[in-house]
Amino acid sequence: MASDPGFACTGCGAHHTELPMNYSADAPAVWNAAFAGAEDCLLSSDQCVIQGAHYFVKGLIEIPVVDTDDVFSWGVWGSLSRENFARAADLWDQPGREDEKPYFGWLTTELLVYPETTLNLRTLVHTRPVGERPHVELEPTNHPLAVEQRTGITMDRVREIATVVLHGT
């Protein structure tokens, strides 16, 4: 008999049939719908350029789920310098790109499940093989997100995150 992958939600009291193991931001926090269609702006599922001066890539902050083989992930945006963004773009479809050194960046996704802002946390963006999103490594600070990335989270924490994301509570 398979176990129920769902959870009893403390936000609404209902039983949700699935427990999401990842959430993803559609755009960096600084993106504005007014930028859409502008010649010097771009927003794709993987890359973003704002006014030809600000550069972002989408990657994953992966968090091990303790006592399981599961990984929880946040799909987030990180800013890169013009030079690093150009380098990453040049290697985008290049086999072996995972050998590239990590790029420094700033986290530009606000994750509202944390008591402190996640904007502007220092990151290293690690390129992975073609077809895989980059791995975003946070600077090892005492920020709760950075601590979770280093030490892992419980399934109870995954359920807590789901409740906040689904219901804002």
Side-chain angles (χ1 to χ4, degrees):
M1 182 164 100
S3 66
D4 180 2
F7 71 105
C9 183
T10 59
C12 67
H15 181 82
H16 295 282
T17 58
E18 292 185 37
L19 178 60
M21 294 301 287
N22 58 63
Y23 297 94
S24 188
D26 293 332
V30 293
W31 177 261
N32 184 309
F35 297 144
E39 189 174 305
D40 58 352
C41 296
L42 160 82
L43 177 62
S44 74
S45 60
D46 299 305
Q47 301 172 337
C48 180
V49 177
I50 296 176
Q51 298 177 322
H54 306 283
Y55 305 89
F56 309 88
V57 295
K58 191 169 189 179
L60 298 174
I61 295 175
E62 296 171 323
I63 302 172
V65 180
V66 296
D67 298 327
T68 75
D69 293 329
D70 293 327
V71 175
F72 177 86
S73 65
W74 292 108
V76 298
W77 292 87
S79 68
L80 297 181
S81 69
R82 176 190 303 261
E83 296 78 19
N84 285 341
F85 182 84
R87 175 81 178 154
D90 287 346
L91 297 174
W92 202 256
D93 295 316
Q94 195 77 16
R97 71 182 192 165
E98 64 273 16
D99 296 329
E100 186 74 359
K101 68 179 175 73
Y103 305 121
F104 173 79
W106 299 97
L107 188 61
T108 55
T109 299
E110 182 70 87
L111 302 174
L112 298 175
V113 302
Y114 296 97
E116 304 169 33
T117 185
T118 56
L119 292 176
N120 297 317
L121 293 176
R122 294 167 62 100
T123 68
L124 289 176
V125 177
H126 298 265
T127 305
R128 290 183 172 162
V130 173
E132 293 183 34
R133 286 207 189 280
H135 168 67
V136 177
E137 176 188 8
L138 296 170
E139 179 181 44
T141 65
N142 288 328
H143 188 284
L145 176 58
V147 171
E148 287 182 347
Q149 187 178 42
R150 286 193 312 274
T151 63
I153 59 176
T154 64
M155 285 303 282
D156 283 343
R157 175 68 173 139
V158 175
R159 287 186 279 276
E160 178 184 305
I161 289 169
T163 298
V164 172
V165 172
L166 292 172
H167 302 293
T169 59

